[in-house]
């Protein structure tokens, strides 16, 4: 089939469908015309996709059909149903798919941080290169600790939340480059290791862990998940399997971008812990217990709820109709 000739013959009807689909009010006659044009255009789209699955023309016609469909079917579901479905099925299924890559990111980060901590904590020359003894004492006894309480807790929680959410979104969106995620992981691991090494050098690792663990367990896990999603998108381009690379990238991008959205409330929880629990006068065991409970809840959500959704066939992607792979009958 000649796509250009086919388009020339039917373009007037497609244009009329586009006009009616975006028209604010329809008469009875126009509504009937819209339905007829929608049915015809659906057949046209299926026929064109059998020849050219992905093209600007099929994408444009698919968008017009989606708009037309809403005129006579209304919204697919209400907002609360969509939100509930996202957190009950889509988000946990995407998390479950990433569980092993997330673990690899965590192990790599811990390994790099430990190496930096040992290197700095046991090497006086490296320690001196970081600053004078007075600067080291000020960092360990004041700067590191005061960071968590120098601003009002509410504003500090908001600042931490937005910063971490932005970093996670970047990890997912820019993961396709194959460079940005390793950069984030290494930079984060290095910063944690450098801080730990300075505390180790003065024999105050207990103080370091008392401030980093309560919020860090959940916060870092969320970052690892975002990095795993970015790597997943990158790998879809490297090894698309039987799919075309563009198709594989589209599939994984839709599936895993849900991670960036779903991590927003997770990072809010870690931000609240960092602002209200980490600098609080609670006993260290209580603060770490709170952080551990938050992490345990998230991991249970990932493995239990996510595993159930994954085994039910969900992958975190949109439905076929929303993704544009098939038209939903009127």
């Amino acid at each position: 089939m000649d796509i250009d000739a086919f388009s020339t013959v039917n373009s007037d009807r497609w244009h009329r469908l586009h006009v009616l689909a975006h028209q604010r009010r329809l008469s009875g006659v126009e509504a009937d015309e819209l339905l007829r044009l929608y049915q015809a255009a659906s057949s046209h789209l299926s026929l064109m996709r059998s020849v050219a699955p992905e093209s600007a023309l099929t994408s444009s016609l698919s968008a017009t059909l989606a708009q037309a469909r809403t005129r006579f079917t209304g919204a697919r579901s209400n907002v609360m149903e969509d939100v509930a479905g996202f957190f009950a099925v889509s988000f946990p299924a995407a998390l479950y798919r990433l569980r092993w890559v997330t673990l690899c990111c965590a192990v790599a980060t811990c390994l790099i941080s430990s190496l930096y901590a040992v290197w700095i904590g046991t090497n006086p020359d490296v320690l001196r290169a970081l600053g004078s003894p007075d600067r080291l004492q000020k960092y360990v006894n004041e700067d590191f600790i005061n960071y968590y309480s120098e601003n009002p807790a509410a504003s500090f929680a908001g600042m931490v939340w937005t910063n971490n959410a932005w970093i996670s979104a970047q990890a997912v969106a820019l993961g396709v480059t194959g460079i940005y995620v390793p950069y984030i992981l290494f930079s984060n691991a290095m910063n944690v290791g450098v801080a730990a090494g300075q505390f180790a050098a003065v024999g105050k690792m207990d103080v370091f862990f008392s401030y980093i663990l309560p919020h860090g367990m959940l916060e870092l896990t969320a970052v690892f998940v975002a990095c795993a999603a970015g790597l997943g998108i990158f790998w879809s381009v490297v090894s698309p399997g039987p799919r075309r690379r563009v198709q594989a990238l589209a599939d994984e991008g839709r599936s895993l971008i849900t991670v960036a959205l779903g991590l927003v409330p997770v990072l809010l929880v870690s931000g609240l812990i960092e602002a209200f629990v980490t600098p609080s006068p609670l006993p260290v065991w209580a603060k770490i217990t709170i952080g551990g409970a938050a992490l345990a809840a998230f991991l249970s959500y990932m493995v239990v709820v996510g595993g159930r959704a994954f085994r039910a066939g969900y992958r975190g992607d949109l439905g076929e109709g929303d993704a544009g792979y098939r038209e939903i009958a009127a």
Side-chain angles (χ1 to χ4, degrees):
M1 183 181 71
D2 189 328
I3 294 294
D4 292 334
F6 188 77
S7 173
T8 300
V9 171
N10 295 286
S11 60
D12 289 342
R13 282 189 284 181
W14 298 342
H15 176 70
R16 178 58 177 168
L17 175 64
H18 178 84
V19 170
L20 292 175
H22 290 82
Q23 188 169 306
R24 187 169 184 178
R25 293 181 181 276
L26 296 174
S27 65
V29 174
E30 289 173 331
D32 291 340
E33 182 184 8
L34 174 67
L35 182 57
R36 289 195 301 271
L37 290 172
Y38 173 86
Q39 293 171 332
S42 296
S43 299
H44 295 164
L45 180 60
S46 297
L47 182 60
M48 287 191 297
R49 278 185 170 160
S50 67
V51 178
E54 296 295 334
S55 68
L57 183 60
T58 57
S59 297
S60 175
L61 184 56
S62 179
T64 298
L65 285 166
Q67 177 64 28
R69 185 168 59 248
T70 63
R71 297 305 305 270
F72 52 79
T73 63
R76 180 177 57 83
S77 60
N78 64 48
V79 174
M80 295 308 298
E81 288 176 345
D82 288 338
V83 171
F86 177 83
F87 285 105
V89 175
S90 299
F91 180 48
L95 290 177
Y96 187 79
R97 291 177 56 202
L98 298 171
R99 62 196 185 283
W100 296 119
V101 183
T102 299
L103 179 60
C104 291
C105 290
V107 170
T109 298
C110 291
L111 178 60
I112 294 171
S113 296
S114 299
L115 291 175
Y116 265 97
V118 172
W119 181 48
I120 293 172
T122 60
N123 194 324
D125 292 334
V126 177
L127 192 63
R128 280 194 295 270
L130 295 176
S132 65
D134 290 340
R135 190 216 63 83
L136 175 61
Q137 291 297 328
K138 186 175 185 296
Y139 174 77
V140 171
N141 296 321
E142 298 178 24
D143 294 347
F144 184 86
I145 296 172
N146 292 341
Y147 166 76
Y148 297 101
S149 57
E150 61 187 2
N151 293 305
S155 61
F156 180 62
M159 179 185 69
V160 170
W161 177 35
T162 53
N163 179 67
N164 289 333
W166 174 239
I167 291 174
S168 297
Q170 286 180 306
V172 177
L174 300 179
V176 68
T177 64
I179 299 173
Y180 193 71
V181 167
Y183 167 75
I184 289 178
L185 289 172
F186 182 81
S187 298
N188 196 52
M190 180 184 67
N191 291 334
V192 173
V194 169
Q198 294 177 78
F199 275 86
V202 297
K204 291 189 174 182
M205 284 300 291
D206 57 331
V207 176
F208 174 78
F209 285 123
S210 71
Y211 277 88
I212 205 72
L213 285 180
H215 65 276
M217 289 186 285
L218 181 60
E219 178 182 279
L220 289 174
T221 300
V223 173
F224 298 151
V225 169
C227 289
L231 291 174
I233 295 174
F234 169 69
W235 192 250
S236 71
V237 178
V238 175
S239 179
R243 300 170 295 180
R244 296 170 59 234
R245 278 186 168 80
V246 173
Q247 187 62 59
L249 178 61
D251 292 344
E252 293 303 303
R254 282 193 312 271
S255 298
L256 298 181
I257 201 65
T258 59
V259 171
L261 300 175
L263 288 177
V264 171
V266 177
L267 290 168
L268 173 60
V269 173
S270 72
L272 293 173
I273 294 174
E274 185 170 358
F276 292 95
V277 176
T278 297
S280 73
L282 289 171
V284 174
W285 66 264
K287 292 192 285 187
I288 293 179
T289 298
I290 292 172
L295 175 62
F298 179 70
L299 293 179
S300 297
Y301 176 71
M302 173 191 287
V303 174
V304 178
V305 180
R308 186 183 303 121
F310 184 83
R311 288 187 291 273
Y314 295 97
R315 297 296 182 269
D317 198 357
L318 298 174
E320 290 185 345
D322 291 333
Y325 291 140
R326 67 176 176 81
E327 295 304 321
I328 300 175

